[in-house]
Amino acid sequence: MACRISELVVDAADAERLAVFWSEVLGHVEVGREDDGSIKIGPPGTGFGGPRPTLVLSPTEDPRPRRLRLHLDVSPTDRDQDAEPARLLALGASHADVGQTGEESWHVLADPEGNEFCLVRAGRRPPRLRHGPGVRDGRRAGWGGTP
């Protein structure tokens, strides 16, 4: 028997704003709310327990102390990867500089609260993030996107 990822939890200063942003990015809908103000979003018609994990935006007043050790990779499903950045930027994303060269085949963006994510072509992944000696000046080598 094995486990699967059922939820991804993201701390948020403004859970409402991030829920709207990620719902638009992923084509998700709100599937629930918790008493603590957390908002769960997931694919329409499936919700928690479906084949894809739900995303939980959990309100916090604690500032982000350092870079996240986890980031999301997203791939466009209904348009060309070259057209998708404009849509994501219009939703509130911004370009993120994590030390990329500009020659990469993916884009590094940040959500409205500064959490980095990669926009990749379907079937392609960016190289694995390097840790330790590959980290320089708060930027990770081998991680890219076109600013």
Side-chain angles (χ1 to χ4, degrees), residues 6 8 18-31 39-48 51-57 72 74 77 87:
S6 57
L8 297 172
L18 281 190
V20 169
F21 174 81
W22 284 109
S23 290
E24 289 293 324
V25 169
L26 301 172
H28 281 14
V29 296
E30 184 176 312
V31 296
I39 302 169
K40 294 181 181 185
I41 63 172
T46 58
F48 181 80
R52 295 188 298 176
T54 55
L55 191 59
V56 179
L57 295 306
L72 302 177
V74 299
T77 58
R87 184 181 83 88

Side-chain angles (χ1 to χ4, degrees), residues 51-137:
R52 295 188 298 176
T54 55
L55 191 59
V56 179
L57 295 306
S58 180
T60 182
E61 293 181 18
D62 294 335
R64 190 171 112 180
R66 62 181 184 267
R67 295 176 69 96
L68 293 176
R69 294 183 68 188
L70 170 79
H71 74 272
L72 302 177
D73 287 349
V74 299
S75 299
T77 58
D78 61 353
R79 66 191 51 144
D80 185 275
Q81 189 223 23
D82 293 331
E84 187 65 351
R87 184 181 83 88
L88 299 179
L89 292 168
L91 293 173
S94 59
H95 291 288
D97 179 2
V98 294
Q100 61 269 33
T101 66
E103 300 297 319
E104 294 80 10
S105 63
W106 60 90
H107 303 274
V108 181
L109 301 169
D111 72 16
E113 291 195 5
N115 301 305
E116 290 111 359
F117 64 97
C118 291
L119 172 62
V120 300
R121 295 185 194 285
R124 287 193 179 168
R125 294 187 338 194
R128 188 173 174 189
L129 296 180
R130 295 183 214 160
H131 299 282
V135 178
R136 62 184 190 282
D137 301 326

